Amino acid sequence: MIIKNAMVYTKGQSFQKGEIYMQDGVFSRQSADQATIDANGCYAIPGLIDIHFHGCAGYDLCDGTLNALEGIAQYEANAGITGICPATMTLPKQALVRILRTADEYQKRCARQNHRGKGADLIGINMEGPFISSVKKGAQNPKHIVPCSVETALEFIEASGGLVKFIGVAPEDNPDFIPFITQLKNRVHISLAHTNADYPTAMAAFHAGADHAVHLYNAMPAFSHRQPGVIGAVSDSPHVYAELVCDGIHIHPSAVRATFQMLGEHRMILISDSIRATGMPDGSYTLGGLNVNVQNKKATLASDGAIAGSVCNLMECLKTVVTQMDIPLETAVACATIHPAKQLGVFGERGSIEVGKKADLVLLDDSLTVRMVIKDGICLEG
């Protein structure tokens, strides 16, 4: 397949008018298949990668079923998100083990059945709980919060067949957080997640090898001039990547712009934090066993009104960050493709339009509306 006349997002993170060739599911220098798409007036960007979301289209990762994973993957791919790393909730240990085993089974089934040109690829699992703080639980169920444990974490990793890529921890509630991080940091990324840690504690975690911050600003102490907390520690730790939920509800546009300036664009990862209500009408839903109300694009816990994830997919978040938050499109695309691919360790195979990488591509018009999704060199329908 050949894409002509598109404004192509290059590995230099700029747009240049040109042609894209695809052969046997990867980007190539030429193509035996001369089927041509005229993409005049469109941007061509890599398929997006969402490293933190819970569900969509009525499904949730924690449903723990193959059907849910298939539904999630289909919805995400059609929206232009071709690589997914969904997040677990804080649930009982055995429930999490079952969910992770199902994810492993799903991934292996996709490999056996040749998943090319179908739903988004499951390339990881982001464990948001259960090693979190009850003070900053957000929409997590406090009944199932437990102290961090290397043994339990290894059980999670094994159950997932290695799919677990991130494990969150609240260091202030876990006296053994330093050995936890040092023993696991070469197996997975350790995140600070749903934490009330002060600056010294967060810095100790980052010095020990933690290198990721779950949805910066949300479920952590506020950043202030005398108590910079986790946010200040992230700023002072150049090796740490930070997630941002840019749905227009979680974080004010001014704070988004300030964060890009403070941390630098190269450490920012856009996420959706979407829940099963994404792509669905307003109404009542569940998240981690808790009841959630959705109205006017805002999801809140029925019990206390706390924000409970988002109802926007990552492509919608990318559009919001560009059109409402004044982040350049070139920067936003990198934060939803290149940076998550690097943090997941898969940049050698996806995340940019380069010869030899997976031919996952999205065509956007000048209003940043999806016009076409190509997965593994195959045009998706619907």
Side-chain angles (χ1 to χ4, degrees), residues 101 104 153-162 187:
R101 284 176 177 161
D104 179 39
L154 290 174
E155 189 173 348
F156 289 153
I157 295 168
E158 181 181 359
S160 74
R187 297 286 300 273

Side-chain angles (χ1 to χ4, degrees), residues 74 114-119 375-381:
Q74 192 64 55
N114 187 4
H115 199 58
R116 278 182 55 187
K118 298 181 181 178
K375 176 77 173 59
D376 300 305
I378 300 170
C379 294
L380 300 187
E381 296 181 4

